[in-house]
Amino acid sequence: MRLKIQSFSISNSQAVVSRDESLVLYEDMVLGRVFEDMCAQMYYRGKMFGFVHLYNGQEAVSTGFIKLLEARDSVVSTYCDHVHAVSKGVPPRAVMAELFGKATGCCRGQGGSMHMFSAQHNLLGGFTFIGEGIPVATGAAFSSKYCHEVLKESTPNRLDVTVAFFGDGTCNNGQFFECLNMAQLELWKLPIVFVVENNLWAIGMPHLRATSDPEIWKKGPAFGMPGVHVDGMDVLKVREVAIEAIARARRGEGPTLVECETYRFRGHSLADPDELRKPDEKASYAARDPITALRKYILDKELASAAELKIIEKKVDAVIEDTVEFADSSPLPPWSQLLENIFADPKGFGIGPDGKYRCEDPKFIEGTSLSLESCLPANHLHRCLIPSESSIRPNSIKVRHG
Amino acid sequence: MIHQNILLLLLPSHHIAFGAQAKVSPFSPCQANHRLVAFFPHRLRSSLSRPIALASFDSEILQEGLNRVLPAGSVLPKKYSTSAKEITVREALNSALDEEMSADPKVFLMGEEVGEYQGAYKISKGLLEKYGPERVLDTPITEAGFAGIGVGAAYYGLRPIVEFMTFNFSMQAIDHIINSAAKSNYMSAGQISVPIVFRGPNGAAAGVGAQHSQCFGAWYAHVPGLKVLTPYSSEDARGLLKAAIRDPDPVVFLENELLYGESFPVSAEALDSSFCLPIGKAKIEREGKDVTITAFSKMVGYALQAADVLSTEGISAEVINLRSIRPLDRATINASVRKTNRLITVEEGFPQHGVGAEICMSVVEESFEYLDAPVERIAGADVPMPYAANLERMAVPQVDDIVRAAKRACYRAVPLAAAA
């Protein structure tokens, strides 16, 4: 598979997006930016704690890809996942409450900043280990293919796509290469897009120092898939590439590696003094702020007026204020939550309501596994909705739906 | 009469023979002889003027004696015959995989050599032909990658069985077993569960050296969010693997390479396709009243042999096959210790922070007043596994070690051998 370098020159005369699309993109990016700025404020006020990694400056990548996805498509992120969550549709209130560690958070305060999960929105985390999300994303793509081909589920020729986001440092990690290899295997050709958010720095380690061949997009063709480099500070360029990559995956043609050259305006985390990056580098990327660029584009192409954009910005401000109020006023998790959800089946072999393991009950049933009909509602993502195997095996654990 | 005398002489000889035949199954000649002798107790007593001293016969003499009585080529039955069918652990695992894959199309098997090679240890023999390459997936050598892929697939309700060629290689994937499989349900507050099984041989094999011989029971059993199973017999293998595959949580299924070829009788119930054993429930393999010996995996066989030896010395040992080391069946263990008042734990892995340490502490916490002797744990030597056969034998618990420890607990101690 020959490598492809795609350069996108946007024609001056015609917009590549419709008015509505452009406003959706604008609002999403502004939401991401204001959300992250509010996180910084809340962190310094002590409402948020632990490790917090902010996405300022990289919004074009998140918005450019995620706004093209359908609800059934999945996103797998890293510890820098707030904006991916919000773009994917997780309510900002739920994300902010999660950051505050409240019971109303999307993970009820169990996950925190680095572990955003939402089954409803197919957001699969939230992983701290570099590269850890890539195999999980590959597995999610595998399940899409499996459901389609083995279980004969889902619409023909339309696979659910998984988008995995990760950074430049990850591209030197073993799991990255393992998954590039496996996603492209003859029999597999998984519906996944590997999106590298190359912001040139892994905490204080610059990409050029850490990598023998710094052009990450070239690593795609090494494994037989297209590798694309795109300007990650321009949401429209990202979107053009994303349209193709996602369509490719959906058609069953396999994975794509997309390297987005982007930049984070803040440090690696809120604890990072960010002393190693030079001011002129920061200034040059600040001049390429994706929100400013899109705003300019919208106004130049007369897709909307400045006043309309101002309305959007005010709306976003109001939404973020509301999320903070909501998170502030939400309750902390109850003590009982500490022992919950270690296992999926509290009535089976897991923990009972008294906090002890069920199997310690002398009346524990022997010999057959329990039916879980009366158990809690489904707690895994439901892509494969075939009838449960209970019709085949009366004693089996039932697959939960809904 | 000569025949019975020969059999009687054979009874103590198994004790000598053990040092050389550490891998004999519980249904070895010794047990067969034991039972045959039991059939003629009245004759025994009449023909016996004094008990025969242990370890005073050379096994070669006995073997000669046996040859005089029995024609060459005829052997004592290796297994005590029952009406039950016997299957090897390998067959048990294979049939469990086959049945579960047949019943639920969401179950698939993934690992190195599981397909065309028929399984590195032939556990997945025949499955590729039956289910095709989409459900029996040969992977490249990418433990971290395919363990994580299994987790991602499990997020979406598929039921992957990830095979590690040995659990030593799971070290390359341990991030996924613990950080994404074990913790996801908790981190997501119950939104996403991971119905995955990680299985493969665990613990020491024979002469495979330090990097292929570690027992990972204690490591995985340490982690909340995992269920860790350690089957011993064929019935265990079948029932627990089926339970693991059906379980909606991540299960680490620790098999043992040396047990794969061992045959065990299985009841008709165990051969039924809906047979399943509960996770978290230990089995009392042998009832006794003087000392409780807990063990898992291969060590159950050793513990049973030790119990045989002990019974000839008047110590009745209760052997508990843990089957599940997380959750640990503390109730059964404690109930047993409350009955016998003495505890020995046996494991193959390293002693520090091991499974035995946890069991001992559980008993001290819950049944201290019932203890008549200090609790004791027998574990492998605190060294990476050496290669030389004699050193390897010293690095893994042997039946003698269990017998000595039980005697210590019963205050019938013999001087300890010099410690390493």
Side-chain angles (χ1 to χ4, degrees), chain A residues 74 106-107 110 117-119 122 129 132 139 146 175 178 182 338 341 343-345 359 364 367 379 381 392-393 397, chain B residues 100 103 105 135 142 145 148-149 152 155-156 176 179 185-187 189-193 227 246-247 249 276 278 280:
Chain A
S74 326
C106 58
C107 297
Q110 300 279 109
F117 287 87
S118 170
N122 287 304
F129 279 46
E132 190 181 356
Y146 191 96
Q175 292 182 82
E178 292 187 15
M182 281 195 277
L338 179 67
N341 291 314
F343 290 128
D345 55 348
C359 58
F364 189 71
N379 62 356
L381 305 138
I392 305 166
R393 284 185 320 215
I397 294 174
Chain B
E100 293 303 302
R135 292 186 65 197
T142 45
I149 286 177
Y155 274 14
Y156 275 101
H176 282 290
N179 278 322
N185 197 56
Y186 192 78
M187 289 195 294
Q191 293 177 75
I192 298 176
S193 77
K227 294 174 182 171
R246 299 176 194 184
D247 195 284
D249 290 307
C276 207

Side-chain angles (χ1 to χ4, degrees), chain A residues 323-360:
Chain A
T323 66
V324 173
E325 273 178 39
F326 173 78
D328 239 347
S329 59
S330 291
L332 287 169
W335 295 113
S336 59
Q337 198 178 298
L338 179 67
L339 295 178
E340 284 174 9
N341 291 314
I342 294 179
F343 290 128
D345 55 348
K347 286 191 181 169
F349 308 114
I351 294 178
D354 57 355
K356 292 196 190 148
Y357 283 109
R358 286 273 164 192
C359 58
E360 289 176 6

Side-chain angles (χ1 to χ4, degrees), chain A residues 46-120:
Chain A
K47 305 267 174 108
M48 222 177 270
F49 40 90
F51 288 132
V52 177
H53 310 85
L54 299 180
Y55 202 73
N56 298 51
Q58 300 179 198
E59 295 86 359
V61 181
S62 173
T63 299
F65 271 93
I66 298 180
K67 284 302 158 195
L68 290 168
L69 295 177
E70 296 176 18
R72 284 173 67 99
D73 295 325
S74 326
V75 165
V76 179
S77 180
T78 61
Y79 47 79
C80 195
D81 53 356
H82 311 164
V83 177
H84 294 141
V86 168
S87 284
K88 191 64 173 68
V90 182
R93 278 184 159 197
V95 181
M96 189 64 78
E98 181 66 27
L99 293 169
F100 280 32
K102 298 294 178 83
T104 49
C106 58
C107 297
R108 298 209 269 152
Q110 300 279 109
S113 166
M114 300 182 285
H115 303 297
M116 296 285 170
F117 287 87
S118 170
Q120 185 191 353

Side-chain angles (χ1 to χ4, degrees), chain A residues 275-290:
Chain A
E275 289 161 344
L276 293 175
R277 301 194 300 174
K278 301 224 165 28
D280 47 355
E281 182 189 85
K282 293 187 202 178
S284 76
Y285 279 100
R288 293 164 61 186
D289 187 325

Side-chain angles (χ1 to χ4, degrees), chain A residues 140-172:
Chain A
F142 179 90
S143 78
S144 166
K145 193 123 201 275
Y146 191 96
C147 286
H148 185 258
E149 298 198 346
V150 178
L151 302 176
K152 312 295 183 202
E153 275 298 303
S154 73
T155 327
N157 299 319
R158 282 185 57 85
L159 295 166
D160 296 331
V161 174
T162 304
V163 180
F165 293 95
F166 47 94
D168 44 284
T170 307
C171 297
N172 295 324

Side-chain angles (χ1 to χ4, degrees), chain A residues 105-340:
Chain A
C106 58
C107 297
R108 298 209 269 152
Q110 300 279 109
S113 166
M114 300 182 285
H115 303 297
M116 296 285 170
F117 287 87
S118 170
Q120 185 191 353
H121 299 99
N122 287 304
L123 175 71
L124 308 181
F127 292 99
T128 49
F129 279 46
I130 294 299
E132 190 181 356
I134 304 178
V136 174
T138 311
F142 179 90
S143 78
S144 166
K145 193 123 201 275
Y146 191 96
C147 286
H148 185 258
E149 298 198 346
V150 178
L151 302 176
K152 312 295 183 202
E153 275 298 303
S154 73
T155 327
N157 299 319
R158 282 185 57 85
L159 295 166
D160 296 331
V161 174
T162 304
V163 180
F165 293 95
F166 47 94
D168 44 284
T170 307
C171 297
N172 295 324
N173 184 269
Q175 292 182 82
F176 168 64
F177 297 107
E178 292 187 15
C179 290
L180 283 188
N181 179 48
M182 281 195 277
Q184 184 63 19
L185 285 177
E186 189 66 41
L187 280 180
W188 293 27
K189 293 270 193 313
L190 300 180
I192 185 170
V193 185
F194 296 106
V195 179
V196 184
E197 294 169 325
N198 183 358
N199 59 20
L200 303 176
W201 289 84
I203 308 187
M205 185 64 157
H207 178 57
L208 294 172
R209 241 178 97 203
T211 316
S212 40
D213 184 348
E215 292 182 284
I216 300 172
W217 58 268
K218 277 191 193 168
K219 296 175 186 180
F223 289 92
M225 71 181 76
V228 185
H229 180 272
V230 69
D231 176 5
M233 302 306 276
D234 184 330
V235 67
L236 298 174
K237 291 181 185 167
V238 172
R239 192 183 149 86
E240 289 281 336
V241 172
I243 288 173
E244 269 206 45
I246 292 170
R248 231 181 84 80
R250 210 179 289 293
R251 286 192 300 266
E253 289 171 25
T256 312
L257 176 66
V258 181
E259 178 187 357
C260 303
E261 181 201 332
T262 182
Y263 201 76
R264 53 171 162 80
F265 295 155
R266 291 183 182 265
H268 163 73
S269 72
L270 287 172
D272 177 13
D274 194 16
E275 289 161 344
L276 293 175
R277 301 194 300 174
K278 301 224 165 28
D280 47 355
E281 182 189 85
K282 293 187 202 178
S284 76
Y285 279 100
R288 293 164 61 186
D289 187 325
I291 295 178
T292 319
L294 181 64
R295 183 191 170 85
K296 180 168 186 301
Y297 184 86
I298 289 174
L299 294 175
D300 283 353
K301 301 289 178 202
E302 293 172 357
L303 294 168
S305 68
E308 287 173 301
L309 295 182
K310 193 83 185 149
I311 291 172
I312 291 177
E313 286 158 23
K314 280 205 162 347
K315 176 183 161 199
V316 166
D317 282 340
V319 164
I320 298 299
E321 289 286 341
D322 169 69
T323 66
V324 173
E325 273 178 39
F326 173 78
D328 239 347
S329 59
S330 291
L332 287 169
W335 295 113
S336 59
Q337 198 178 298
L338 179 67
L339 295 178
E340 284 174 9

